[in-house]
Amino acid sequence: MKIIFLNTWAGTRFELLIEFLKTQAPSTDIFCLSEVMSSPEPHESKGGRMTLYEDLQALAFPGWTKYFAAKQDNFDHAERVDYKITEGLAIFLKPALSVNSAGDFFILGSRNSLQGIDLLTMPVNLQYVRIPYNGSELTVINFHGLSEPGDKLDTSERLLQSKKLIEFMQGEKNAIVGGDFNLLPETESVRSFVRAGFRDLIKEWKISSTRSRSNIEKYSAHPQYFADFAFASPQLKVRNFEVPDLEISDHLPLIVDLG
């Protein structure tokens, strides 16, 4: 069972992103993507590719099972806009893969609770699918944590989102979560997953960075080498975990191979 988690940077590097996804698709069962924009029509935007969800369906995942979890309308990831646009999370599953259930819910705010362009108030939702797995069930969780403050350190909101995510995972038979947590490894928000009994795959596999080189170079005065994490139930067999250094986004993909 191969799963890829990736913050798409709203498709800012669209051609490279599509090439990567198409290359990985034959060997991958589930893609969990964040910063995915959806719009019925293309629009010029400072914030990325507004029809990314539609383009992913057409170019990378034709015929795949798809789920979109909307969180904020009329905000193009840079400014408020007056055309139809939605940002959210997207999960794509191979057509042959059975799904027991799927859904999403908010752990901070609610849909469209963004105040102006203040990213401190951006709603945070959690998207999941439950699939048959080794005679039991596996819950795969797609997550994109609060992006501000930019220091990626603990705040009351970040501690709360970790608490709610852990509570959800503890109620599942087998669970794995991945994505852009917008956190540094030394935070209490990250350590709380390990204390709750979940495996920190970034630490376990000695990953040195989850940010692309261009991002680190852009913020060279205060580089942040981490933002993305993957946590798994202790009983899950992780055959391989890698974070390849690819310039397809301002984040690197997390690739998990479960036994």
Side-chain angles (χ1 to χ4, degrees):
M1 171 73 62
K2 181 177 172 183
I3 307 166
I4 294 181
F5 301 94
L6 176 63
N7 181 325
T8 67
W9 201 13
T12 299
R13 293 184 176 145
F14 180 71
E15 289 77 14
L16 293 173
L17 173 66
I18 290 295
E19 180 182 357
F20 168 76
L21 297 175
K22 290 174 70 173
T23 299
Q24 293 292 322
S27 63
T28 303
D29 298 285
I30 303 174
F31 288 86
C32 294
L33 308 177
S34 61
E35 282 190 18
V36 178
M37 315 303 287
S38 176
S39 179
E41 298 178 359
H43 296 274
E44 293 291 331
S45 170
K46 299 176 184 177
R49 193 176 184 95
M50 298 297 96
T51 56
L52 181 58
Y53 183 58
E54 290 74 19
D55 295 336
L56 289 172
Q57 295 176 56
L59 299 176
F61 306 117
W64 285 51
T65 303
K66 59 188 182 296
Y67 298 97
F68 185 74
K71 68 176 183 178
Q72 182 64 45
D73 300 321
N74 302 110
F75 180 69
D76 74 350
H77 218 254
E79 59 187 8
R80 289 284 184 170
V81 296
D82 59 3
Y83 53 81
K84 189 173 182 180
I85 174 70
T86 299
E87 180 186 349
L89 302 167
I91 295 179
F92 293 91
L93 303 96
K94 259 188 177 153
L97 203 61
S98 298
V99 176
N100 292 343
S101 61
D104 74 286
F105 59 90
F106 284 88
I107 57 177
L108 288 180
S110 57
R111 183 169 178 177
N112 296 328
S113 62
L114 177 69
Q115 298 175 22
I117 59 171
D118 181 7
L119 295 179
L120 287 169
T121 66
M122 177 67 81
V124 175
N125 57 347
L126 178 159
Q127 184 185 31
Y128 64 89
V129 292
R130 296 187 182 103
I131 60 173
Y133 176 74
N134 289 349
S136 183
E137 185 175 73
L138 172 66
T139 303
V140 179
I141 305 166
N142 187 17
F143 183 67
H144 184 200
L146 194 65
S147 65
E148 295 292 331
D151 58 17
K152 313 304 183 196
L153 298 177
D154 286 316
T155 63
S156 58
E157 291 82 6
R158 284 173 168 155
L159 289 166
L160 179 60
Q161 69 184 10
S162 291
K163 178 177 181 291
K164 289 185 175 181
L165 178 49
I166 288 168
E167 288 173 351
F168 176 69
M169 293 177 71
Q170 288 174 328
E172 301 301 296
K173 296 182 179 68
N174 303 283
I176 183 166
V177 61
D180 175 12
F181 281 63
N182 278 303
L183 293 169
L184 295 180
E186 61 268 25
T187 57
E188 176 65 17
S189 299
V190 168
R191 290 195 297 265
S192 61
F193 285 87
V194 177
R195 278 205 316 276
F198 296 102
R199 297 166 62 183
D200 179 350
L201 300 187
I202 294 293
K203 184 176 182 179
E204 187 175 325
W205 290 78
K206 298 180 172 60
I207 302 301
S208 60
S209 178
T210 70
R211 302 306 301 262
S212 63
R213 288 191 305 273
S214 58
N215 177 271
I216 293 171
E217 290 168 359
K218 181 178 179 180
Y219 301 102
S220 58
H222 303 283
Q224 294 175 337
Y225 294 95
F226 294 93
D228 309 80
F229 292 89
F231 300 100
S233 297
Q235 67 272 17
L236 287 178
K237 180 180 179 182
V238 181
R239 293 191 296 199
N240 191 46
F241 179 70
E242 58 180 318
V243 183
D245 187 7
L246 300 171
E247 293 294 313
I248 57 176
S249 170
D250 59 345
H251 294 256
L252 303 179
L254 312 182
I255 304 179
V256 186
D257 187 7
L258 297 178

